[in-house]
Structures are given as structure tokens and as C-alpha cells.
């Protein structure tokens, strides 16, 4: 069964838009003529150099993109696939239908086994989804699947998902990295140690994880579908941006992910490396811990919003890669509204609001962020811009995992971060970033709490009419924009340096490197 996402074609995040007709958009280096391509061959090892290591390979407990990107569509698969054209396609489910407003029925692919030999069937689907929702062992993803009331195994190849209320985005979450199917035997055997022993149905099998160094996947010889051409994939953690690019230039790696804009010129002028630019659903934002003074005062947050020159950041830090954002929803995400406006750059208004809040001479604060070069540069620009309204901003750069831990526990004042979208649907951003029940680890690092916004988000989940749903999300975004728990400043792009002998690699709008069709020439 094929279902197309409602509204505009999704771009950048879990909606896997790629770039128009082809998911792979690689710029020719320096306008040079490409040599005649050698024939692709099977086998070989693909080495991917990336900024940060995973923090958890359990999809029900992982909280960052590096983890999900390692396992999604590689080790693990879901019932549904959202393809490069933003259409829902069969994966582990061969077809589906709605029996009524609350009941969805899925026919499952037969003859599929998990990588440990456990059969994939309705019981496996039931156990996986019930694990997410287990109240005795709560997972950070429980809110995302909270609309599911019951999972029924009708027979081995038929499963019904019964909802507590109509939920328009069910297919989107089942297609997400959080909705993948896990071996029931592995769940029982490993429990929370599943992070060290991921077992799915995907084309690659987990081999090893050396924290801080590398994660190794190998070809699943018993894969039910089209087997990958590669023998092995190695994700290497290489924090230094220039080193990652140098590894691709030297042939030590074939792809450098999370490429900073500072390395674009170098890649474009290379004879051996090409620049991959892919649309993204993600946004970059500056956030506030709304439970801490002085950021518990909306006037302070609005003042800072007025003091930030977003265009200067996009031009000066990002070399015009990406666009100025007024919403945490990317422009192609279902539910995005162009009518939502941010705050104009106005230092006088900013000073006035600070004075009204009782800070006429400003104050001292700390902004925390991970060790991403662009974000470090943004922090320095922010530090300079906020001096104009008397705010003495200290910059606290942390390793990614340490930053996530601090932000999740509320141990930050301000922070610079971003949010991808694993589903291409507004619910993913709205529920995780803004709903009060998502405070902390699930994603609401602002600890934002607004009962009206909570209700709008809940209503948006239930509304089946696309236009009415869009109106609900527009109202929620307008309130969020005025209350400023986050200042979205950039709709981003996914960049990568890709060796010219690599064919078939692309980054989905959700930020996941897709490698199942990769060949090495």
C-alpha cells in the first residue's frame, strides 16, 4: 500500500526527501568534468568519519541522531518505510488499512527472521511496541507512542494497533527510527543492555562498539530483502572537522559526515571528494531553561530574541547554508506555517524589555553547547551580540553526550542546540520539544510548560482533517513564538564530504546517512 504524506513534499528529516528526482545531491567539485565512472563492484568496507559517537543503540532509549543514524534502516527496520519521494512504502508490513477511526490493521511480511534467528511475526510487533509503553520500565519514547491503547496479534502475520484516540501521524511514527522492530528474544535476554546488542531484521548486523572510537556493522547474509553490496561499515568517531575531511582525501574514510560550512571550499576544490548537500527537516535554535532565573521571565527571553541578528549568523557563521528560521518546524514539515513570525532585530526594544523585567544593566549567564564548530562560532557571535544589551555571556562547550545529559537534567541556563524530525510530521517536534510531559530527556530541555499549548499539541495529534490540523499547529507555533522557550534561528542542510568512488550514499531529511545501496568503484 502506498500512502503519500499530506501537504507539500517533505524535505529533510525523517521524510527522506533527498533532492527532487534523486536522493543524492553531490556538487561537482570546482566545476571539473567528472571522469568516466568505473563499474560498481560488490564487497568492500565503507568507513564513515563523523563528529560524535552514539550514546545508545537502543532505539527506545536513544536521544540523539548519531545513535539513530547508526541503526536506522541498517540494523533495524520498521513496518513502514518513508522513501526518498516522501511516500509510505511497505517494509516489514506488506499492506495496511484503517478498520475504523481507532483501529489499524497491518499484514506482515512472512519468512523474515531477526538477525539472531528469531521469527518476525505479530508477537514480535506486539512485544516491541508494548516495550515502549511499559509503565513499569518507562522509556523516553513513551510519549511519542502514547496514543496506542492496545496491540493485538490476530494471527502470525496480522497485527492490529488500537488507538485511544484518532492519530493522524501513526504511519509517520511507525516509519521512524523509534518505530523499528526488535527481536523479542533479544529484549528478554538483554533488557536495558540491548544498547550493546542491537538485534533487528535489517541488511546489516551489529558486530562491535568501541565507545569513543568506532561502531562496526557487517553484511547480513540472511537478509530477507535485497542484500547490500558492502561487506562491512565502520562508523569512526573523529571530533576534528579537518581531520575527517583529510581522511576522505587520503582514502582512510569514504564519507565525512556533519561537515561544517568551514570545510565546504576545501571539499569543492578537491579532485577526489565531492560535496553532498541534502535538504533537512532540522532546525538550529537557542534555548532557555525556563525554570531558572532570569529566564523564567518571558520579557527576558523576548529581549534576547530582539537582540539576535539571525541573518548575520546565517551569513557569517554558515556561509548562507540554510535559511533564517522563525519556527522549530522546517518549512517542509507537515504543520509548518509561514505566518508565524519571530522577533525583529531591535536593540532598543530589547533594552526596554530587560529594564521592565528588572535588569536595566543586564546580567551574567552561561550558554552551553556541544563541541560542534559552527555552534561554537554561533556562541561567540551570540556573546558579542548580547553585550549590546548588557548581558555578559559565558560559553560552556561540552562533549556531545555530556551536553545532552546536562540539558536533560536541567543543568543549563541557555543552550545552543538543534532538533531533527524523524517523521516529517509536526507532532514529532511539537510533542518532544514543547509538551510539558516531554520535559527533560525526551527533548523539552527548556522545561516549557503551557497548558494551552499542551492541549493544542494533543488536539493536533487527534485531528484527521489536514487543514484543521494545520490551523491547530499554527496557533501552537504562534504562542510558542511569543513565549520564546526557544529562538529558532536556522533551517539547516545536511552536508557530507563523499569520496568520488562512492555511489548511492545520501542523507535523509531526518539526518540519517542511507547506505543500503552504496557501491564502491
Amino acid at each position: 500500500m502506498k500512502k503519500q504524506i499530506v501537504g507539500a513534499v517533505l524535505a529533510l528529516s525523517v521524510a527522506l526527501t533527498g533532492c527532487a528526482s534523486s536522493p543524492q545531491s553531490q556538487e561537482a567539485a570546482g566545476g571539473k568534468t567528472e571522469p568516466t565512472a568505473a563499474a560498481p563492484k560488490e564487497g568492500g568496507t565503507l568507513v564513515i568519519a563523523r563528529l560524535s559517537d552514539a550514546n545508545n543503540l537502543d532505539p527506545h532509549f536513544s536521544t540523539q541522531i548519531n545513535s539513530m543514524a547508526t541503526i536506522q534502516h541498517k540494523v533495524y527496520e520498521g513496518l513502514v518505510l518513508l522513501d526518498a519521494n516522501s511516500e509510505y512504502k511497505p517494509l516489514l508490513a506488506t499492506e495496511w488499512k484503517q478498520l475504523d477511526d481507532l483501529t489499524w490493521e497491518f499484514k506482515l511480511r512472512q519468512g523474515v527472521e531477526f538477525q539472531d534467528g528469531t521469527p518476525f511475526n505479530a508477537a514480535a510487533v506486539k512485544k516491541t511496541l508494548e516495550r515502549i509503553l511499559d509503565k513499569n520500565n518507562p522509556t523516553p519514547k513513551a510519549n511519542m507512542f502514547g496514543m496506542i491503547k492496545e496491540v493485538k496479534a490476530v494471527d502470525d502475520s496480522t497485527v492490529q494497533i488500537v488507538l485511544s484516540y484518532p492519530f493522524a501521524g501513526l504511519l509517520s511514527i511507525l516509519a521512524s527510527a523509534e518505530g523499528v522492530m526488535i527481536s523479542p528474544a533479544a529484549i528478554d535476554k538483554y533488557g536495558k543492555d540491548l544498547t550493546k546488542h542491537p538485534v533487528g531484521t535489517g541488511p546489516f548486523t551489529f558486530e562491535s562498539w568501541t565507545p569513543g572510537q568506532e561502531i562496526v556493522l557487517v553484511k547480513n547474509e540472511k537478509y530477507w530483502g535485497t542484500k547490500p553490496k558492502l561487506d562491512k561499515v565502520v562508523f569512526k568517531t573523529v571530533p576534528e572537522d579537518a581531520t575527517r575531511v583529510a581522511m576522505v582525501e587520503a582514502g582512510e574514510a569514504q564519507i565525512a559526515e556533519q561537515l561544517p560550512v568551514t570545510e565546504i571550499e576545501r571539499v569543492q576544490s578537491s579532485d577526489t571528494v565531492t560535496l553532498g548537500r541534502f535538504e533537512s527537516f532540522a532546525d538550529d535554535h537557542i534555548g532557555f531553561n525556563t525554570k531558572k532565573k532570569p529566564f523564567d521571565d518571558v520579557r527576558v527571553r523576548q529581549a534576547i530574541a530582539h537582540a539576535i541578528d539571525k541573518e548575520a549568523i546565517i551569513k557569517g557563521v554558515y556561509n548562507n547554508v540554510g535559511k533564517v528560521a522563525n519556527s522549530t518546524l522546517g518549512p517542509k514539515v507537515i504543520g509548518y506555517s509561514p505566518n508565524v513570525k519571530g522577533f525583529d532585530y531591535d536593540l532598543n526594544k530589547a533594552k526596554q524589555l530587560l529594564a521592565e523585567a528588572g535588569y536595566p544593566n543586564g546580567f551574567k549567564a552561561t550558554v552551553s553547547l556541544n563541541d560542534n564548530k559552527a555552534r561554537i562560532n554561533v556562541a561567540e557571535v551570540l556573546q558579542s551580540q548580547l553585550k549590546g544589551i548588557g548581558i555578559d555571556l559565558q560559553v560552556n562547550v561540552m562533549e556531545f553526550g555530556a551536553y545532552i545529559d546536562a540539558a536533560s537534567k536541567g543543568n543549563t541556563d541557555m543552550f545552543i542546540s538543534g532538533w531533527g524530525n524523524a517523521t516529517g510530521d509536526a507532532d514529532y517536534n511539537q510533542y518532544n520539544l514543547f509538551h510539558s510531559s516531554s520535559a527533560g530527556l525526551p527533548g523539552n530541555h527548556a522545561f516549557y510548560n503551557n497548558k494551552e499549548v499542551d492541549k493544542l499539541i494533543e488536539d493536533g495529534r487527534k485531528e484527521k482533517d489536514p487543514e484543521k490540523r494545520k490551523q491547530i499547529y499554527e496557533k501552537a507555533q504562534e504562542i510558542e513564538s511569543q513565549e520564546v522557550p526557544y529562538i529558532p534561528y536556522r533551517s539547516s542542510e545536511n552536508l557530507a564530504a563523499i569520496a568520488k568512488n562512492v555511489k548511492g550514499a545520501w542523507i535523509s531529511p531526518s539526518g540519517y546517512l542511507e547506505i543500503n545501496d552504496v557501491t564502491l568503484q
Side-chain angles (χ1 to χ4, degrees):
M1 174 180 286
K2 183 187 295 185
K3 295 191 183 274
Q4 188 160 350
I5 290 182
V6 178
V9 176
L10 298 182
L12 245 81
S13 200
V14 151
L16 311 173
T17 306
C19 260
S21 61
S22 171
Q24 186 167 0
S25 172
Q26 296 183 13
E27 297 184 355
K32 298 180 178 65
T33 301
E34 296 282 349
T36 302
K41 59 182 180 181
E42 290 207 22
T45 297
L46 180 73
V47 178
I48 301 158
R50 57 183 187 164
L51 175 67
S52 306
D53 195 8
N55 71 342
N56 196 316
L57 296 182
D58 184 333
H60 298 165
F61 288 87
S62 176
T63 57
Q64 45 108 316
I65 194 168
N66 285 337
S67 301
M68 296 300 203
T70 305
I71 54 179
Q72 170 72 329
H73 298 153
K74 303 169 187 72
V75 176
Y76 286 117
E77 298 175 310
L79 298 180
V80 181
L81 172 71
L82 191 60
D83 72 3
N85 296 315
S86 301
E87 295 181 350
Y88 292 115
K89 296 288 184 66
L91 195 54
L92 292 178
T94 56
E95 57 181 299
W96 52 88
K97 62 183 176 181
Q98 272 191 271
L99 303 183
D100 54 48
D101 284 352
L102 299 178
T103 308
W104 292 67
E105 185 172 274
F106 295 81
K107 293 293 183 181
L108 306 180
R109 193 174 298 279
Q110 298 183 51
V112 176
E113 289 187 352
F114 289 96
Q115 293 141 4
D116 60 1
T118 304
F120 167 73
N121 53 27
V125 177
K126 179 177 171 68
K127 191 175 186 74
T128 295
L129 294 178
E130 287 180 347
R131 179 179 188 251
I132 301 174
L133 299 168
D134 186 355
K135 293 180 180 178
N136 296 320
N137 295 288
T139 73
K141 310 302 179 183
N143 287 338
M144 187 175 171
F145 292 79
M147 77 298 298
I148 296 178
K149 179 181 179 181
E150 184 182 4
V151 182
K152 296 180 180 179
V154 179
D155 55 46
D156 268 4
S157 60
T158 308
V159 67
Q160 291 179 357
I161 297 177
V162 183
L163 309 181
S164 297
Y165 52 84
F167 179 62
L170 181 64
L171 291 179
S172 73
I173 66 167
L174 293 176
S176 74
E178 291 85 348
V180 298
M181 296 294 112
I182 303 174
S183 164
I187 290 174
D188 289 337
K189 182 177 181 179
Y190 299 115
K192 287 193 176 181
D193 271 348
L194 193 70
T195 181
K196 302 173 186 175
H197 309 277
V199 183
T201 62
F204 291 95
T205 300
F206 172 80
E207 181 174 272
S208 65
W209 180 11
T210 307
Q213 295 183 36
E214 66 179 29
I215 295 171
V216 181
L217 310 180
V218 295
K219 181 178 182 177
N220 178 6
E221 297 289 355
K222 296 182 179 179
Y223 181 54
W224 62 266
T226 302
K227 293 180 177 60
K229 303 295 190 294
L230 298 168
D231 292 327
K232 183 181 291 190
V233 181
V234 181
F235 293 88
K236 284 190 176 292
T237 301
V238 183
E240 300 80 14
D241 296 328
T243 303
R244 293 200 301 279
V245 177
M247 288 175 68
V248 179
E249 290 174 331
E252 296 172 18
Q254 287 73 49
I255 299 175
E257 274 196 285
Q258 294 156 296
L259 183 74
V261 294
T262 51
E263 299 295 324
I264 286 179
E265 270 188 44
R266 175 179 178 179
V267 173
Q268 287 178 319
S269 64
S270 172
D271 291 323
T272 58
V273 184
T274 189
L275 176 66
R277 293 182 70 160
F278 308 90
E279 288 186 298
S280 170
F281 285 136
D283 89 292
D284 294 299
H285 56 247
I286 296 157
F288 305 94
N289 186 335
T290 61
K291 298 299 182 186
K292 281 190 175 183
K293 289 186 177 297
F295 305 113
D296 58 344
D297 191 322
V298 67
R299 294 169 296 185
V300 171
R301 303 196 299 268
Q302 290 174 341
I304 292 174
H306 274 300
I308 295 174
D309 186 346
K310 296 180 183 179
E311 290 187 0
I313 292 174
I314 302 301
K315 183 178 180 180
V317 174
Y318 292 98
N319 196 24
N320 290 319
V321 174
K323 298 178 181 178
V324 169
N326 291 320
S327 170
T328 58
L329 293 178
K332 300 296 184 179
V333 176
I334 294 172
Y336 169 81
S337 172
N339 300 323
V340 176
K341 305 300 180 186
F343 289 83
D344 294 333
Y345 178 57
D346 187 337
L347 292 182
N348 290 329
K349 183 64 176 177
K351 291 174 182 177
Q352 176 188 330
L353 284 164
L354 276 188
E356 290 174 6
Y359 301 96
N361 300 315
F363 53 83
K364 289 185 178 181
T366 299
V367 62
S368 299
L369 57 144
N370 74 300
D371 48 354
N372 173 292
K373 182 177 287 187
R375 287 182 184 159
I376 293 171
N377 292 342
V378 170
E380 292 170 351
V381 173
L382 185 64
Q383 191 177 44
S384 175
Q385 290 183 351
L386 295 190
K387 277 183 182 177
I389 58 172
I391 295 177
D392 181 5
L393 190 65
Q394 304 301 307
V395 176
N396 178 28
V397 180
M398 311 170 74
E399 183 273 328
F400 190 87
Y403 163 74
I404 290 291
D405 185 63
S408 298
K409 292 177 178 176
N411 296 331
T412 58
D413 296 340
M414 292 175 61
F415 51 89
I416 299 174
S417 189
W419 189 261
N421 186 304
T423 66
D425 190 277
D427 179 74
Y428 190 86
N429 290 66
Q430 288 289 300
Y431 212 99
N432 285 291
L433 285 179
F434 295 99
H435 198 279
S436 60
S437 66
S438 296
L441 190 59
N444 181 358
H445 296 162
F447 293 84
Y448 179 62
N449 188 339
N450 181 304
K451 293 192 186 317
E452 183 180 4
V453 170
D454 278 359
K455 186 175 187 309
L456 287 167
I457 293 170
E458 291 158 11
D459 289 346
R461 288 189 139 190
K462 300 173 185 177
E463 181 55 61
K464 291 193 299 182
D465 184 288
E467 285 306 311
K468 290 181 180 177
R469 196 165 182 250
K470 186 176 179 180
Q471 291 168 15
I472 289 170
Y473 285 127
E474 181 175 291
K475 186 173 182 181
Q477 289 171 78
E478 286 172 346
I479 296 171
E480 294 155 5
S481 178
Q482 289 303 305
E483 295 204 337
V484 209
Y486 309 92
I487 303 172
Y489 64 87
R490 175 178 175 259
S491 295
S492 68
E493 291 182 44
N494 293 317
L495 304 178
I498 303 174
K500 289 186 176 180
N501 69 327
V502 174
K503 301 301 176 186
W506 61 289
I507 302 177
S508 74
S510 48
Y512 304 148
L513 180 64
E514 301 288 347
I515 59 171
N516 292 351
D517 296 324
V518 164
T519 56
L520 302 176
Q521 292 185 345

